[in-house]
Amino acid sequence: MAAITVQQAQVTGTALNLVAASGGGDTIATQDATTYLVVRNSDASSKTVTVVRPGNDEFGLAVPDIAVAVAAGATTVIGPIPAPFRNPSNSLVDVTYSAVTSVTVAAFRAG
């Protein structure tokens, strides 16, 4: 997994630096619930982006992930990403993709 650098949004405007999505998934270092993921799908087919929620509930069942369909040619913002999505072992949020062809991503912090 590759680390996506979280960019700080500014009131005067922020030009986000989008990078290629990694085939093995990506990670985002979040500090609080003001972090968002931007996904641009320039491909001709829809892609599914999954924000992984680690762990199990009190009954031992897997807690559901968030899966977001990003349409062909669309740019989608996912978030804010709350603290329960951080992996307790490293405090990173894991993101996976159904495919990465022509998919670019950026993470930003608002506030």
Side-chain angles (χ1 to χ4, degrees):
M1 292 191 153
I4 299 173
T5 301
V6 178
Q7 301 165 62
Q8 179 65 50
Q10 303 293 325
V11 70
T12 55
T14 303
L16 293 176
N17 178 34
L18 282 90
V19 297
S22 298
D26 290 309
T27 59
I28 304 169
T30 62
Q31 296 173 350
D32 52 34
T34 62
T35 302
Y36 296 78
L37 176 65
V38 177
V39 181
R40 179 180 295 154
N41 178 11
S42 299
D43 198 28
S45 61
S46 179
K47 305 288 195 283
T48 300
V49 178
T50 302
V51 181
V52 178
R53 183 157 181 197
N56 297 325
D57 66 15
E58 64 272 20
F59 303 107
L61 301 173
V63 180
D65 300 332
I66 294 177
V68 178
V70 180
T75 300
T76 301
V77 177
I78 301 170
I81 302 170
F85 284 85
R86 281 185 256 167
N87 186 326
S89 68
N90 60 14
S91 295
L92 300 175
V93 174
D94 295 329
V95 180
T96 61
Y97 314 96
S98 60
V100 295
T101 303
S102 300
V103 175
T104 53
V105 294
F108 72 92
R109 182 172 295 112

